[in-house]
Amino acid sequence: MVAQLVPLLAVEAPSAGGAEAGQIALVTAVAIVLTTALLVLGLGHRSGRVKLLGRVAGFAERALRMPGWAALPLAIATPTLLLALFGLTWDESLHIDDGRDPGPLANPSHYFLLVGLFGIFTAGWLALVLPERGSRPGPASVRITRDWHVPVGGLLTMLCGSVALGGFPLDDVSHRLFGQDVSLWGTTHLQMLTGAATGVVGLCILFREGVLAEQARRGTAQEIVPLVRLPKLADLAFEKLHYATLGGGLLGALSIFQGEYDFGVPQFRLIFHPILIAGMAAFALVAVRALAGPGAALLAAVWFIVIRGVITLLVGPVFGEAVATFPLYLAEALIVEGVALALVATKRPYAFGAVSGALIGSVGVLAGYGWSKVWVPLEWPAHMLPSAIALSVPVGIACGILGAFLFCGLDRRPTLVASRAAIATAAGCVVLVGGMLAVLRTTEAQEIRAAVTTEQVGDGRIVATVTLDPPDAAKEADWFHTLAYQGKGPLEIGELTEVRPGVYRTESIPVTGTWKTSVRIHKGRAMTAMPIRLPGDEAIPAPEVSAPAAFQRAFEADRTILQRERKDDVSRAAETGFAALILAICLGLIATLGRGLVHLGTSAQRTPRPSASGAPRAAREKTSA
């Protein structure tokens, strides 16, 4: 595989096969400068020569009422994660509406993505360098050197940020080797998404370590002096808001895997949409409700709606790009709240997670079906519901159990998180979910031909009459529509009206400029499409596919049209080997997170030293005074 890859990497790639060398050099230089600055700042703080971090951490400590080594990283990670989510949503809309870009610096959304992912890395690094020399930050600290102990959540967060950022150079390598993969679920894209999503789990662990450290300090009469003293009730609400924000952020981070369905251009089966919603909701809502108590799941869903609503308004109506829809998670949150009251979530967390997941996979899917009729680009057909529920229930149960595993680790329940049975169950749930998604990803061919006549209805627009062979090819289809995108304007998804058996008439569709217009049929495992009009592309290269007054064409695999930039002459061994490398990175990251949770969960007997703050001793004494 290496022998095949090296000659390809040595070739200067065109715009469809990788970024320009100058852009790569500039991004690399900026990354080196920023990383060096972080190293100097962090190591300077540890040596006592740099005071800036201590002062800022002291302020964050008083504002969030937890040690500075947790407060400052969380204060940095929260806005940068929002920037990353905004950048990802904008990036998807730009690619859908405008097509590919020539490099990382040519797309404005990439700046927000890079800043957001670098913010995760920065938060993790600061959590490592802020604790005082010789102190043990929190009950689950990890020893780096003789007098350097770090919070395990900070270590995991920095690792997740590193994996996410590492996806950018690997993405360019992938473009050069295999052509541009415009799928959100491309190998290197999944690495970036996994690193970002798991980074939020790392922050949950860091947050919990900070809370536990502050609770221990209160027991020694060393409570942090807050910026503002709040009444008892307001103080409890403030703490609940912390957890709800974290839960909503976790929902937002997990929802990034649904991006193609949010925009209406999925390249994989529609059945994935309800399964993804059920799994992500069960994992995040079970964990936050068990940890934060009554109302936390609902608050997390509301916070998610606020985040995604603002981003959707900015990218869609404000910027004039494609609109990203999103699930509400309100029905799923109500299910979790109800199950928690019936089972007492904290007493039987795994039963709570399993029952919640089962109900989310059944009742929640029915609620999602109703929501798809209101505000989802591709409605869920009624005939898909039985299979959607049948597949969503086991995924919901598995993810609910994983959410309970996360809670047991954060709540430090060693018998429920560190036993062989608990670890084996969690690993089995990961394998179950991953295996089911891998099996469902496979598709089949469907032999369809069409005779098409077109009629001009405006400047560069036509209405087409499509006669299918066989005539029942679109009956009981999961979707059957026209798709027009990358025309320098918002994508268009149009319905086809049946005028007589097997004959359909489209809405007005564009066929000039850079528009890519096709008819898509997805039926069961088969995903096919017929191009109506595709522009010529010299960089691939690919000829134009025109839309004359009358023509006949065969449907082909949907991927061949949506991913025209993919190279056909690449060895299957090279492609499989590269995918295996990315899979190993992602699975290794997930396993490391699980190990970190076990480490935190078994730390109940460990007692941190009194000096738990990230601010220098002198600064802390001044603050307390």
Side-chain angles (χ1 to χ4, degrees):
M1 183 184 73
V2 172
Q4 295 170 342
L5 299 188
V6 171
L8 289 170
L9 286 172
V11 178
E12 182 64 26
S15 61
E20 298 174 358
Q23 292 195 30
I24 294 177
L26 181 56
V27 171
T28 303
V30 172
I32 291 173
V33 169
L34 291 176
T35 305
T36 302
L38 278 180
L39 285 171
V40 170
L41 190 63
L43 297 179
H45 169 80
R46 286 196 58 78
S47 68
R49 292 191 297 269
V50 177
K51 307 297 183 182
L52 176 62
L53 272 183
R55 297 191 186 98
V56 179
F59 179 82
E61 182 176 278
R62 297 178 62 197
L64 297 183
R65 283 176 278 185
M66 67 177 60
W69 50 259
L72 181 58
L74 288 167
I76 290 174
T78 300
T80 54
L81 276 169
L82 293 176
L83 287 178
L85 182 57
F86 166 71
L88 176 64
T89 307
W90 193 14
D91 184 56
E92 290 179 83
S93 68
L94 285 173
H95 285 301
I96 291 170
D97 292 346
D98 300 337
R100 63 178 180 266
D101 50 63
L105 302 180
N107 185 329
S109 65
H110 286 181
Y111 294 93
F112 292 92
L113 264 174
L114 287 166
V115 169
L117 296 181
F118 194 78
I120 300 175
F121 174 83
T122 300
W125 169 248
L126 292 180
L128 304 190
V129 300
L130 280 170
E132 290 182 2
R133 184 184 296 273
S135 68
R136 294 180 182 272
S141 60
V142 177
R143 179 178 174 179
I144 301 296
T145 64
R146 182 179 60 84
D147 62 347
W148 187 2
H149 295 79
V150 301
V152 66
L155 200 60
L156 293 172
T157 300
M158 191 178 77
L159 176 63
C160 294
S162 301
V163 169
L165 287 170
F168 275 89
L170 283 176
D171 192 45
D172 191 71
V173 170
S174 175
H175 290 171
R176 293 171 184 274
L177 296 177
F178 314 118
Q180 286 203 15
D181 182 355
V182 297
S183 168
L184 183 67
W185 290 1
T187 51
T188 51
H189 299 162
L190 282 176
Q191 176 182 334
M192 289 184 269
L193 296 180
T194 301
T198 53
V200 180
V201 178
L203 290 170
C204 290
I205 297 174
L206 180 63
F207 172 81
R208 188 61 178 164
E209 287 181 283
V211 170
L212 292 171
E214 173 56 16
Q215 289 174 352
R217 194 154 66 173
R218 288 176 183 175
T220 58
Q222 294 181 353
E223 182 180 358
I224 294 171
V225 179
L227 288 178
V228 179
R229 287 285 185 185
L230 297 174
K232 183 64 175 178
L233 186 60
D235 192 55
L236 291 174
F238 183 74
E239 184 177 345
K240 179 85 73 173
L241 186 61
H242 272 322
Y243 283 105
T245 301
L246 212 58
L250 187 57
L251 271 179
L254 295 173
S255 71
I256 60 180
F257 293 96
Q258 305 163 22
E260 290 188 351
Y261 296 92
D262 292 342
F263 282 101
V265 287
Q267 300 185 45
F268 301 93
R269 297 172 59 188
L270 186 60
I271 194 76
F272 276 113
H273 198 194
I275 292 174
L276 287 173
I277 292 174
M280 304 312 180
F283 176 75
L285 295 175
V286 163
V288 71
R289 174 59 177 82
L291 192 63
L298 269 175
L299 286 173
V302 170
W303 177 236
F304 167 81
I305 293 171
V306 171
I307 295 171
R308 287 296 304 267
V310 171
I311 291 175
T312 295
L313 285 174
L314 286 175
V315 174
V318 176
F319 291 177
E321 304 290 348
V323 173
T325 62
F326 52 86
L328 296 181
Y329 291 119
L330 289 175
E332 292 83 353
L334 288 172
I335 289 171
V336 170
E337 294 286 352
V339 174
L341 292 176
L343 290 181
V344 186
T346 56
K347 290 186 177 180
R348 302 175 60 194
Y350 286 109
F352 164 57
V355 173
S356 295
L359 290 175
I360 287 173
S362 52
V363 179
V365 168
L366 291 174
Y369 169 74
W371 179 243
S372 78
K373 304 296 182 182
V374 178
W375 194 50
V376 173
L378 301 179
E379 294 183 10
W380 300 354
H383 69 259
M384 191 184 76
L385 278 177
S387 54
I389 292 174
L391 294 170
S392 295
V393 166
V395 170
I397 292 173
C399 290
I401 291 173
L402 288 172
F405 182 79
L406 174 60
F407 159 71
C408 291
L410 296 177
D411 204 45
R412 297 198 298 171
R413 300 192 177 191
T415 58
L416 294 179
V417 75
S419 66
R420 291 183 179 179
I423 294 174
T425 300
C429 288
V430 172
V431 172
L432 171 67
V433 174
M436 183 175 291
L437 296 180
V439 170
L440 291 174
R441 185 168 176 172
T442 59
T443 57
E444 301 171 349
Q446 183 181 10
E447 294 185 3
I448 309 173
R449 294 193 61 85
V452 183
T453 59
T454 64
E455 174 188 348
Q456 293 286 337
V457 293
D459 186 18
R461 303 185 70 89
I462 64 169
V463 169
T465 301
V466 181
T467 303
L468 297 179
D469 181 18
D472 62 349
K475 294 297 183 183
E476 295 294 312
D478 294 332
W479 69 56
F480 178 40
H481 61 248
T482 60
L483 172 66
Y485 68 110
Q486 293 187 353
K488 311 301 180 184
L491 84 160
E492 300 180 14
I493 299 174
E495 297 182 355
L496 289 97
T497 304
E498 188 172 23
V499 293
R500 57 182 181 274
V503 181
Y504 299 86
R505 187 172 177 84
T506 72
E507 298 174 354
S508 170
I509 52 179
V511 290
T512 59
T514 59
W515 283 104
K516 297 177 180 178
T517 306
S518 61
V519 175
R520 306 177 75 203
I521 299 178
H522 166 27
K523 192 173 182 178
R525 286 186 173 272
M527 297 182 65
T528 57
M530 179 194 67
I532 296 289
R533 191 266 175 178
L534 300 174
D537 194 331
E538 296 180 358
I540 298 177
E544 178 183 0
V545 177
S546 61
F551 60 90
Q552 294 186 9
R553 283 183 192 141
F555 279 71
E556 53 193 280
D558 197 32
R559 173 178 171 175
T560 61
I561 297 176
L562 293 174
Q563 299 188 34
R564 292 180 87 199
E565 291 87 349
R566 297 286 293 174
K567 296 179 180 179
D568 298 326
D569 57 349
V570 179
S571 163
R572 179 62 66 92
E575 195 167 3
T576 302
F578 190 82
L581 170 65
I582 303 301
L583 178 62
I585 292 173
C586 294
L587 289 179
L589 183 61
I590 293 171
T592 304
L593 279 173
R595 180 66 185 87
L597 274 173
V598 171
H599 180 74
L600 175 61
T602 55
S603 67
Q605 304 304 319
R606 304 184 197 123
T607 304
R609 295 182 186 177
S611 127
S613 173
R617 188 179 305 276
R620 197 172 66 255
E621 290 173 354
K622 181 179 179 180
T623 298
S624 299

